Amino acid sequence: MAGRGRAWRSGVVGLALVLISLTGCGGRPTTDSATAEVQHVLDRRAAALLRHDAAAYGETGTRTAYDHLRAVPLASWSYRLTGLHRSGSTATADARLSYRVRGYDNAPVVSGRLLTLKVTADGGWYVASDRPAKKAGEQLWDQGTVNTVQGEHSLVMGVGQSGTALHAYARLADRAVPAVSRAWGTDWTRHVVVLVPGSLEGMAGLLGSPASSYRGIAAVTTGEAGGSGAAPADRVVVNPEAYALLGDVGKQVVLTHETTHVATRAHTNPATPLWLSEGYADWIGYLGTGRTPAQASPELARAVRDGEVPDALPTDEDFGFTGDPGRLARAYEGGWLACRMIADRWGEVRLGQFYRAVGTHPKRAGAVEDAMKRVLGTTLEAFTAQWRDYLRDRLG
């Protein structure tokens, strides 16, 4: 958050692929033979990449992606052609890229790609460029050569980052994973993939959004809400500019917070309010830091001292990036203190049970109320009144 030098956001980045007819988008229809030939080139290209055969890869087209990807531990890589339009000696192809990072992805990551191809002297096809499809986010290697550092519980991949910097991220991530497991439990993958682009603009490119959406945001976790073993691993995407402004404790809190989102993803769905998902991630993030409520919640503490105690728990809209950093800060702080209150009064185990209970509901309506009744033995109205008293007591 602008006023605090850090902020976090949990996100779900989806990709909608519209399959385009292989007859192309107007103009001369492509033939079945041309479609098969291009698919064959893409298959050869993928196989060469996986077996680290630079010469064979170069025979299929530009080597830029190969050079950028050499350090990435790929378990699989394949293209499926979904559209082809030829114009003379060139063609554009829509493709569905699927890939897995070895040891981390249980299922393929899928990305839409737009390829430009040219006819070679012998009548074959040559890939001249391979870039994200319209409205698809960039992949890290689209931004430059990827360097990787493998930690005990983490894989850190970066562009424009020194090995020293990436090792620092890995050390923090390696501390975050067991910290999350101690609080949440071990029913998750217990490893994390961290992407570190070279700039705020690089972060925005990976997320397919304007840079203004993430200015002042230190990190974002992408993943599939309610994900299961059939979903690829989540990615923690760092904004290196905002992250660099944090102190040592703040950097650890950020990565532990985001790692919590990775751990809880399978139990997080539309029924889970942001005050709970973000508050719980902050609660684990701050465990063991020694930060008092007043130290960790300066915006909300200021409001409480001014007699402006919130009437209700933060809404999802309070977590929006509306240009009001104070409102956003108070939302995060309010969610954290709600989870902290549950841990203080009902116990840490009950807090985790409450989180899971909310996530058993498919829809928001009644989810929190039902979980409060079953797990905490209270009502939303009584809980809110207790929370308001807790704010006065801890922040007043």
Side-chain angles (χ1 to χ4, degrees):
M1 302 166 195
R4 301 172 62 185
R6 67 90 169 146
W8 307 291
R9 182 183 182 188
S10 166
V12 178
V13 176
L15 173 64
L17 292 175
V18 179
L19 302 185
I20 300 174
S21 168
L22 292 178
T23 60
C25 303
R28 191 177 73 185
T30 57
T31 64
D32 289 342
S33 62
T35 298
E37 289 165 6
V38 171
Q39 182 65 64
H40 180 62
V41 170
L42 298 180
D43 292 344
R44 288 172 51 211
R45 191 169 177 80
L49 177 65
L50 290 173
R51 67 174 183 266
H52 301 283
D53 189 335
Y57 189 90
E59 291 173 0
T60 67
T62 173
R63 273 192 45 161
T64 301
Y66 181 90
D67 294 334
H68 288 179
L69 277 162
R70 281 184 296 182
V72 179
L74 293 171
S76 67
W77 181 280
S78 64
Y79 293 94
R80 183 166 68 84
L81 191 64
T82 59
L84 183 65
H85 178 66
R86 182 172 180 176
S87 178
S89 61
T90 65
T92 57
D94 299 290
R96 182 177 183 265
L97 169 65
S98 301
Y99 70 90
R100 289 187 299 115
V101 173
R102 183 180 299 109
Y104 292 89
D105 291 331
N106 296 321
V109 176
V110 177
S111 178
R113 306 294 292 184
L114 179 63
L115 294 85
T116 301
L117 302 105
K118 295 183 179 180
V119 176
T120 62
D122 61 2
W125 290 99
Y126 177 95
V127 178
S129 69
D130 179 350
R131 60 187 186 275
K134 186 177 181 180
K135 297 184 179 180
E138 296 175 342
Q139 299 297 312
L140 191 61
W141 53 86
D142 289 322
Q143 301 178 3
T145 300
V146 178
N147 295 315
T148 64
V149 168
Q150 184 125 19
E152 184 178 358
H153 305 291
S154 63
L155 176 67
V156 181
M157 298 189 286
V159 168
Q161 303 288 334
S162 68
T164 299
L166 297 183
H167 276 286
Y169 283 104
R171 285 193 296 271
L172 295 172
D174 284 347
R175 287 198 289 267
V177 169
V180 172
S181 292
R182 284 193 296 271
W184 173 254
T186 58
D187 61 335
W188 63 294
T189 59
R190 286 173 284 168
H191 56 230
V192 63
V193 179
V194 182
L195 305 184
V196 190
S199 64
L200 165 62
E201 287 70 23
M203 176 200 197
L206 295 176
L207 299 171
S209 298
S212 59
S213 299
Y214 302 102
R215 197 173 306 281
I217 305 301
V220 172
T221 301
T222 68
E224 180 181 324
S228 65
D234 295 350
R235 303 292 196 255
V236 175
V237 185
V238 174
N239 172 2
E241 296 173 16
Y243 194 83
L245 300 177
L246 303 175
D248 291 342
V249 172
K251 289 176 179 177
Q252 184 65 71
V253 170
V254 165
L255 277 186
T256 304
H257 174 112
E258 299 303 335
T259 301
T260 302
H261 286 313
V262 175
T264 59
R265 182 68 70 202
H267 298 272
T268 305
N269 63 19
T272 310
L274 287 176
W275 72 260
L276 179 57
S277 61
E278 297 299 340
Y280 188 74
D282 261 356
W283 177 73
I284 293 183
Y286 277 116
L287 284 176
T289 65
R291 291 294 194 267
T292 67
Q295 289 171 332
S297 306
E299 291 291 336
L300 194 51
R302 187 175 300 113
V304 171
R305 288 194 300 270
D306 291 342
E308 299 174 359
V309 179
D311 293 327
L313 292 162
T315 67
D316 284 5
E317 289 72 25
D318 291 330
F319 288 88
F321 298 96
T322 61
D324 183 352
R327 178 188 180 190
L328 181 60
R330 290 188 295 273
Y332 275 92
E333 293 163 1
W336 171 59
L337 286 166
C339 291
R340 191 177 189 271
M341 184 184 78
I342 296 173
D344 285 351
R345 298 191 175 180
W346 284 274
E348 296 182 3
V349 172
R350 199 75 66 84
L351 172 58
Q353 292 172 343
F354 172 69
Y355 193 106
R356 289 174 169 87
V358 173
T360 63
H361 289 255
K363 297 181 180 180
R364 177 70 58 89
V368 170
E369 292 85 346
D370 179 68
M372 283 184 174
K373 180 180 179 181
R374 290 192 293 115
V375 180
L376 305 181
T378 190
T379 65
L380 179 57
E381 292 75 13
F383 180 88
T384 302
Q386 287 180 297
W387 172 71
R388 298 182 76 235
D389 289 341
Y390 190 81
L391 297 185
R392 294 187 188 95
D393 181 60
R394 297 300 192 275
L395 302 178

